[in-house]
Amino acid sequence: MDEETECPECPAGIPEWVMTFADLMSLMMCFFVLLLSFSEMDVLKFKQIAGSMQVAFGVQREDKSAMAVPMGTSIIAQEFSSAQPDPTPLNQVQQQTTDTSKQYLDIKDPAVEDAENKAEELQEALKTEIKEGLLEVSTIDDQVIVRIREKGSFPSASSKVDEAFMAVLTKISDALNQVEGRILVAGHTDNIPIQTREFASNWILSGARAAAVADTLTERGSVAHERVEIRAYADNRPLEPNDTPEGRAKNRRVEIIVLGDRGANAALNDAAEPAGTSPVQ
């Protein structure tokens, strides 16, 4: 052909396929934005998983800050709690950690912790009597309770301490002399009424038993008199229901309570209540 072929004129505006392509790109962008919004980035959990993988594959963890100046554990940085560094035969200082997944610090009440320490001391000193079932040692808030069961301590319907149990009370008093705090001796009975020439009611019996224990602790055990006071509760604070012989046997008891600061204040409030009111539980 002699004449050059002319290119046809392009239609006005953008090509039709551009709109379809733009719609497709917009849809894909929305799709990936939705995927990202559904995801959760938990850095702490990732660190815990990474640490578990290190332990599983034998990767040794080293605490480079073990030689630094000792500092308190931060409540904010909760993924790691410091431990006592131990030297190794290779002259390296490493920390022994137990729970790598622990997220929160245990913050104990100092008063409760002090009561638990006192209870451990008393349990160690009286472990033979506890094993024989004569005593129980427990804690409630900042109070330590040495519970004397009726078994082997008092004859039935009597406030006279069994002679064989005197040695146990002397041992209890020696243990009490090793711990601080006011001492409350409380007598308890079951709900079966008593009316004898010596005891007209369970109130009198529970008070007489508490007084007998307190007298033994102070006179034979040398516990300071000013530390001790007594209470009589009769059958008003049972440990178990009184509808079985076993339950009534558990309720017949004398409790020696080592009071913390809160327990001492509560005891004073109990003593200050007017007649006719019920004791604070």
Side-chain angles (χ1 to χ4, degrees):
M1 298 179 60
D2 295 337
E3 297 181 359
E4 295 182 359
T5 304
E6 295 183 359
C7 179
E9 295 183 0
C10 296
I14 60 174
E16 297 179 354
W17 61 268
V18 173
M19 296 301 298
T20 304
F21 180 78
D23 291 341
L24 179 61
M25 290 299 101
S26 299
L27 290 174
M28 291 186 65
M29 183 182 68
C30 293
F31 173 72
F32 285 112
V33 169
L34 285 174
L35 288 181
L36 182 62
S37 66
F38 292 154
S39 65
E40 294 182 2
M41 302 298 292
D42 193 334
V43 179
L44 179 59
K45 186 174 296 184
F46 173 80
K47 289 183 179 180
Q48 293 173 355
I49 295 174
S52 300
M53 293 292 290
Q54 288 180 352
V55 174
F57 288 101
V59 179
Q60 185 181 23
R61 285 196 312 161
E62 295 185 2
D63 183 17
K64 297 182 180 179
S65 64
M67 300 300 295
V69 178
M71 301 177 65
T73 302
S74 172
I75 298 180
I76 299 175
Q78 297 173 346
E79 69 273 10
F80 179 80
S81 59
S82 59
Q84 181 68 33
D86 298 326
T88 67
L90 299 178
N91 196 26
Q92 296 177 352
V93 179
Q94 299 177 345
Q95 283 187 329
Q96 305 295 327
T97 56
T98 55
D99 188 0
T100 59
S101 63
K102 190 172 183 179
Q103 299 185 23
Y104 303 102
L105 297 176
D106 293 330
I107 303 176
K108 284 192 174 182
D109 186 338
V112 174
E113 192 169 7
D114 182 57
E116 291 175 353
N117 293 336
K118 291 178 181 179
E120 290 177 0
E121 294 180 21
L122 292 173
Q123 286 174 340
E124 179 62 27
L126 304 170
K127 58 184 178 182
T128 302
E129 290 71 21
I130 294 174
K131 187 176 181 180
E132 292 175 356
L134 301 176
L135 305 174
E136 294 177 4
V137 178
S138 60
T139 61
I140 298 178
D141 193 30
D142 64 340
Q143 305 175 28
V144 182
I145 301 175
V146 179
R147 186 168 291 124
I148 301 173
R149 297 177 178 175
E150 186 188 48
K151 169 188 174 183
S153 57
F154 292 96
S156 179
S158 172
S159 64
K160 183 179 180 181
V161 179
D162 192 280
E163 191 62 33
F165 198 75
M166 285 288 189
V168 178
L169 285 179
T170 302
K171 193 173 182 179
I172 293 174
S173 64
D174 292 339
L176 292 175
N177 283 328
Q178 304 304 315
V179 298
E180 298 180 351
R182 290 177 53 195
I183 298 171
L184 178 65
V185 183
H188 302 264
T189 66
D190 57 26
N191 67 339
I192 297 179
I194 184 174
Q195 189 172 6
T196 64
R197 179 179 301 178
E198 187 176 4
F199 305 108
S201 68
N202 283 331
W203 287 104
I204 300 176
L205 176 60
S206 62
R209 286 184 171 181
V213 170
D215 182 70
T216 304
L217 294 177
T218 54
E219 299 302 326
R220 297 189 56 166
S222 300
V223 175
H225 289 70
E226 59 270 16
R227 292 182 63 192
V228 182
E229 64 178 276
I230 65 173
R231 293 284 178 87
Y233 290 110
D235 61 332
N236 288 286
R237 295 191 177 183
L239 293 175
E240 301 287 342
N242 281 299
D243 51 6
T244 64
E246 293 79 11
R248 290 192 292 271
K250 286 188 176 182
N251 293 332
R252 297 190 297 269
R253 68 199 188 277
V254 174
E255 293 175 341
I256 302 173
I257 306 171
V258 182
L259 301 172
D261 292 336
R262 288 196 294 265
N265 292 334
L268 289 175
N269 292 336
D270 275 358
E273 286 183 349
T277 58
S278 59
V280 176
Q281 298 291 334

